[in-house]
Amino acid sequence: MSDNMQNLNTTDTDAAEPASAFSLIFTAEQVGIITIDVPGEKVNTLKAEFAQQICTILQKAQQYPGLKGLVLISGKTDSFIAGADISMISGCQTAAEATQLAQKGQTVMAQIASFSVPVVAAIHGACLGGGLELALACHARVCSLDEKTQLGLPEVQLGLLPGSGGTQRLPRLIGAPKALELMLTGRSIRAKQALRMGLVDDAVPYSVLLQTALERVAKGRKSRPPLPWQARLAGGPLGKSVLFHFVRKQARAKTHGNYPATEKIIDVVRTGLDQGSGNGYQAEANAFGELVMTPESAALRSLFFASTALKKEKGGDAEPLPVRRVGILGGGLMGGGIAHVTAIKAGLPVRIKDINHEGIRHALKYSWDLLEKKVRSRRLTRTEQQRQMMLISGTTDYSGFAQTDIVVEAVFEDLSLKQSMVAEIEQNAALHTIFASNTSSLPIHKIAEQASRPEQVIGLHYFSPVDKMPLVEVIPHAGTSAQTISTTVSLAKKQGKTAIVVGDRAGFYVNRILAPYINEAARCLINGEPVDHIDKALVNFGFPVGPIQLLDEVGIDVGTKIGPILVDAFGERFAAPSGFDAVLKDDRKGRKNGKGFYFYGQKGRAAAKKKQVDPAIYRLLNVTPKAQQSEDEIAQRCVMLMLNEAVRCLDENVIRSARDGDLGAVFGIGFPPFRGGPFRYMDQLGLASVVKTLERLAQQYGERFTPCAGLLRRAQQGELFCSDGGAREKVSEV
């Protein structure tokens, strides 16, 4: 910075006070630069104590003679403000406290908005939640064109709404339709899209970001004024009721009434547009306070804290080895997906081996097609696409594998084949190379039993489609070294995955708790319940898709393959209902061959916008479909078996903690996030209630529902799985 700039830090006057997150300097052109840099943190987050710090820095700036304006910029390398400190929100004990917290935030933003000279936000990196609300309070916004720059209001993902004025300022700036879409989805947008939307006034290279913001202030360039009232609604008074009716209908179709924050967001935005911003701000603060106290928000925040804590863990005590190059065995759907996240997300060179060039071509096309979508949507340049594709290469022999640090095997589920792959890697790769098997069912100790370096063999179970599913299971066998575990976890994190370390037992964790859930849905079908009735019951419970549709999606052949392995390991409680194998015998594999429980058209696409059940399924199973049980009863039957099995997994050390069990279920199979995961959900219901429900179901449907010993013991002793008791309020049973 220029020597002409004068430093004015808020901590200079009182050395005893903690360091401020805000510092102030002035340019020779009489523009103040406020730098936001939270001490000791990698990213900036807004905390309650910052309200006074911001007030103080603004007062000092106003005292500067001839002040022309202010620029707010971050002192962090890759973020502006990533949002509010969530622990601050979780510390609220009552709705009134949370409402006051929102009102304090609104007051701070109002001070910025009413400042006597222009205030410009210079945004680089993450500008999310409270960070974007602060930027919205400024008189203008300039952002960098860097890929790291993202803007959004993701509060809905925590069961909340923007509480510092965001619900009122954003619709007035970009219009209610676009504002509602951003707030209801919680999605982030990049610089060019923000510029087109009118969310920012300019988007420039990072190298000239500060200069551009300073020039805007110095020249007195103002942001465009808020949209006229009619434009905010994209249709004036006539379109208002249509807009809100459509948005509410669309939101309910997606949430099935399980996420109260979406309704509150719609209500609060409409209040502000109907009754003025004053009433809108009050409605926003009140709604924020109410939402903080809901069990849904408590559950979603628990997942946020759990996933944040897991990201800091290495999977063990050993330091991971550096991973510079990765090998992939198999160019199929899974191999192509693993290669994509390794090259594109982790930025690592990938070498794919397949038995023929067609497999390699298929794997390369997988990444090319995904990148092509980004190019078409202008999120990626053609040059960058080609550069990223150069990270992926293929071979039909083992050339290049001597330089790999870890090899991920993604071949057919055949034990002898996988064992031969281990032997070949040990012969053709480096002595330190780790062998990671993407098996969904085979024991890792069996895969490693003929290895000369079994300590470097581990399981790494991805979920399909790999580029979208956030979870991986890392599965060490008894002889896997601690360093192999930590190195594998490190790779998974670089690939953008949430990695849980699970025990080497049949089905591992996710498939083990999923199997009884699917089997019970199949029993309901065999007993005559319509396919769509079963699926609707579980979607309304909160799953993204129903269990029967899930079988179609993952492949009926794949979904049923693990059953015999689980039966062999754990007994008849994992047996599929009699007669259900008729589906597979009819060559019904689901979406992938266009023949499953639902109708599919070309290339496995759904035959209609709303999926239609293939009635031939009922003839095949010799049942007459008729809805007899309520949705609640069907959901209860399927979910209770999953909960019971999750407790067994915890007690058998298949998972290391209830936290890992919750994350695995939510990120691996879509267990309803607003319920927090199986263990948190059981705490919400009360373990005594869970036991009582299972005992009733056991009397009605069979001993497979018998509560496991660990659940009975905890219920009798009044124990909980989660340290915070699961939620502030108990919820009704399914």
Side-chain angles (χ1 to χ4, degrees):
M1 296 208 176
S2 168
D3 292 335
N4 307 347
M5 294 183 180
Q6 303 174 25
N7 183 50
L8 183 58
N9 193 300
T10 57
T11 59
D12 293 342
T13 57
D14 190 346
E17 292 181 4
S20 173
F22 303 86
S23 60
L24 174 63
I25 59 175
F26 296 94
T27 71
E29 291 77 25
Q30 297 174 305
V31 178
I33 301 174
I34 296 176
T35 301
I36 309 162
D37 195 348
V38 181
E41 301 288 343
K42 289 184 178 180
V43 298
N44 292 321
T45 56
L46 296 178
K47 305 176 188 293
E49 59 266 29
F50 291 173
Q52 184 56 50
Q53 292 182 16
I54 294 172
C55 179
T56 299
I57 206 85
L58 291 176
Q59 287 175 351
K60 290 189 176 183
Q62 203 151 24
Q63 294 169 9
Y64 189 78
L67 181 69
K68 291 182 179 178
L70 295 173
V71 171
L72 295 180
I73 195 165
S74 171
K76 304 297 183 186
T77 307
D78 296 327
S79 78
F80 181 68
I81 299 174
D85 183 353
I86 307 303
S87 59
M88 168 184 70
I89 297 169
S90 297
C92 297
Q93 298 299 310
T94 65
E97 283 183 33
T99 296
Q100 289 172 1
L101 186 65
Q103 289 171 333
K104 183 181 286 188
Q106 290 176 351
T107 299
V108 171
M109 303 310 171
Q111 287 177 324
I112 296 171
S114 61
F115 201 66
S116 57
V117 292
V119 182
V120 177
I123 302 163
H124 171 68
C127 178
L128 304 171
L132 182 55
E133 289 185 286
L134 185 144
L136 287 170
C138 295
H139 304 127
R141 288 149 296 283
V142 179
C143 73
S144 78
L145 288 164
D146 195 282
E147 188 76 8
K148 295 168 185 172
T149 297
Q150 297 183 43
L151 301 92
L153 293 172
E155 287 86 350
V156 71
Q157 296 171 7
L158 295 175
L160 302 171
L161 52 65
S164 296
T167 65
Q168 304 306 301
R169 289 193 175 91
L170 190 61
R172 286 168 170 77
L173 183 67
I174 65 173
K178 293 176 183 176
L180 284 166
E181 194 271 337
L182 282 179
M183 287 187 279
L184 291 172
T185 62
R187 72 182 181 94
S188 300
I189 59 173
R190 302 197 183 278
K192 289 183 179 178
Q193 190 175 1
L195 183 61
R196 290 194 298 269
M197 192 179 286
L199 182 54
V200 299
D201 300 281
D202 204 353
V204 298
Y206 175 52
S207 59
V208 296
L209 176 66
L210 178 58
Q211 177 187 340
T212 304
L214 289 170
E215 288 176 355
R216 177 172 283 271
V217 172
K219 294 176 181 178
R221 293 179 64 192
K222 297 180 179 179
S223 174
R224 65 180 178 85
L227 289 173
W229 186 84
Q230 293 86 351
R232 296 172 196 168
L233 293 170
L238 186 62
K240 181 170 62 174
S241 60
V242 174
L243 167 67
F244 282 95
H245 172 77
F246 174 77
V247 168
R248 198 179 299 275
K249 182 179 179 180
Q250 193 176 47
R252 287 175 180 172
K254 290 182 178 179
T255 66
H256 304 281
N258 291 321
Y259 293 85
T262 58
E263 294 285 337
K264 292 288 188 184
I265 288 170
I266 296 168
D267 290 342
V268 167
V269 169
R270 182 155 193 176
T271 297
L273 293 174
D274 282 350
Q275 302 174 28
S277 59
N279 289 315
Y281 287 127
Q282 186 60 54
E284 177 188 87
N286 291 339
F288 182 85
E290 292 169 16
L291 288 171
V292 168
M293 293 298 114
T294 60
E296 291 86 358
S297 180
L300 291 165
R301 294 198 308 271
S302 78
L303 289 172
F304 172 83
F305 288 128
S307 60
T308 300
L310 191 62
K311 288 175 185 175
K312 299 176 182 177
E313 297 178 6
K314 297 179 291 186
D317 297 329
E319 286 297 318
L321 292 169
V323 175
R324 300 181 183 90
R325 292 178 179 82
V326 177
I328 307 288
L329 299 179
L333 184 65
M334 293 301 291
I338 297 166
H340 178 81
V341 296
T342 305
I344 309 308
K345 292 194 175 180
L348 295 171
V350 181
R351 186 76 162 164
I352 304 168
K353 181 191 179 295
D354 200 273
I355 57 175
N356 56 53
H357 290 287
E358 179 62 23
I360 297 168
R361 189 194 69 79
H362 184 273
L364 290 169
K365 187 176 185 299
Y366 185 100
S367 282
W368 179 266
D369 289 346
L370 288 174
L371 293 175
E372 187 68 16
K373 290 180 181 178
K374 289 187 176 182
V375 172
R376 289 174 182 171
S377 62
R378 298 181 180 179
R379 290 183 292 143
L380 192 71
T381 65
R382 185 67 69 185
T383 301
E384 185 63 16
Q385 178 190 32
Q386 293 170 349
R387 187 196 69 78
Q388 292 183 9
M389 284 300 301
M390 288 177 67
L391 289 170
I392 310 174
S393 62
T395 178
T396 55
D397 55 25
Y398 282 101
S399 60
F401 271 70
Q403 287 77 44
T404 57
D405 300 300
I406 185 167
V407 172
V408 182
E409 166 269 304
V411 300
F412 297 112
E413 287 287 271
D414 179 272
L415 180 59
S416 61
L417 176 60
K418 290 179 185 288
Q419 288 175 335
S420 69
M421 294 290 98
V422 174
E424 290 181 20
I425 288 302
E426 288 183 330
Q427 292 171 7
N428 292 281
L431 290 174
H432 71 274
T433 301
I434 292 169
F435 182 95
S437 176
N438 176 47
T439 178
S440 60
S441 58
L442 296 174
I444 306 304
H445 68 274
K446 289 284 187 183
I447 295 173
E449 65 182 2
Q450 297 177 15
S452 59
R453 296 189 292 274
E455 69 278 5
Q456 290 165 215
V457 177
I458 195 168
L460 186 56
H461 180 209
Y462 295 85
F463 297 83
S464 185
V466 179
D467 61 291
K468 293 181 180 177
M469 295 299 288
L471 186 77
V472 291
E473 292 178 306
V474 176
I475 314 117
H477 63 91
T480 302
S481 72
Q483 196 162 56
T484 295
I485 298 171
S486 61
T487 303
T488 306
V489 168
S490 176
L491 173 64
K493 288 180 181 178
K494 289 177 182 176
Q495 294 170 330
K497 300 298 180 185
T498 297
I500 59 170
V501 179
V502 302
D504 183 23
R505 299 206 66 186
F508 312 131
Y509 172 65
V510 171
N511 281 340
R512 180 168 165 187
I513 66 170
L514 181 63
Y517 167 85
I518 296 282
N519 281 344
E520 198 60 25
R523 287 189 184 91
C524 291
L525 176 55
I526 291 288
N527 292 336
E529 296 293 340
V531 168
D532 46 356
H533 181 54
I534 297 167
D535 279 347
K536 186 169 179 283
L538 275 305
V539 168
N540 285 340
F541 179 79
F543 283 91
V545 297
I548 308 298
Q549 185 185 340
L550 181 62
L551 262 181
D552 265 7
E553 297 291 337
V554 302
I556 299 168
D557 54 334
V558 175
T560 56
K561 192 170 186 178
I562 197 173
I565 297 171
L566 291 167
V567 170
D568 184 58
F570 303 114
E572 286 302 306
R573 74 174 186 270
F574 280 95
S578 176
F580 198 68
D581 58 347
V583 176
L584 200 55
K585 288 177 181 177
D586 193 45
D587 192 36
R588 290 179 180 266
K589 297 179 181 179
R591 179 186 290 275
K592 64 183 174 183
N593 77 337
K595 191 178 180 183
F597 294 96
Y598 289 87
F599 276 124
Y600 295 93
Q602 293 181 341
K603 297 182 180 180
R605 292 181 179 177
K609 189 173 183 180
K610 183 178 180 182
K611 287 184 175 63
Q612 295 179 341
V613 177
D614 183 351
I617 280 290
Y618 301 123
R619 296 192 295 273
L620 196 63
L621 296 174
N622 195 28
V623 300
T624 302
K626 183 181 179 182
Q628 302 170 67
Q629 293 185 321
S630 68
E631 287 185 7
D632 286 351
E633 181 72 3
I634 292 171
Q636 196 172 69
R637 286 176 60 178
C638 297
V639 172
M640 282 293 159
L641 284 177
M642 179 183 284
L643 302 182
N644 208 20
E645 204 59 42
V647 178
R648 289 191 180 99
C649 288
L650 179 62
D651 289 342
E652 295 170 16
N653 296 319
V654 173
I655 49 175
R656 294 181 172 184
S657 64
R659 179 205 69 181
D660 286 5
D662 282 342
L663 289 173
V666 171
F667 294 153
I669 55 178
F671 190 92
F674 71 92
R675 300 186 190 275
F679 295 98
R680 187 178 185 89
Y681 181 51
M682 283 187 277
D683 283 351
Q684 291 173 347
L685 292 174
L687 301 195
S689 176
V690 174
V691 167
K692 184 179 178 181
T693 301
L694 282 166
E695 288 173 340
R696 176 181 64 79
L697 292 171
Q699 290 179 347
Q700 288 182 264
Y701 302 109
E703 62 181 17
R704 63 185 178 278
F705 285 98
T706 301
C708 67
L711 187 54
L712 288 169
R713 174 179 56 79
R714 290 179 179 87
Q716 290 167 357
Q717 296 177 1
E719 294 181 20
L720 294 169
F721 292 109
C722 304
S723 59
D724 64 353
R728 300 184 191 281
E729 302 174 19
K730 297 295 182 185
V731 299
S732 59
E733 293 186 28
V734 182

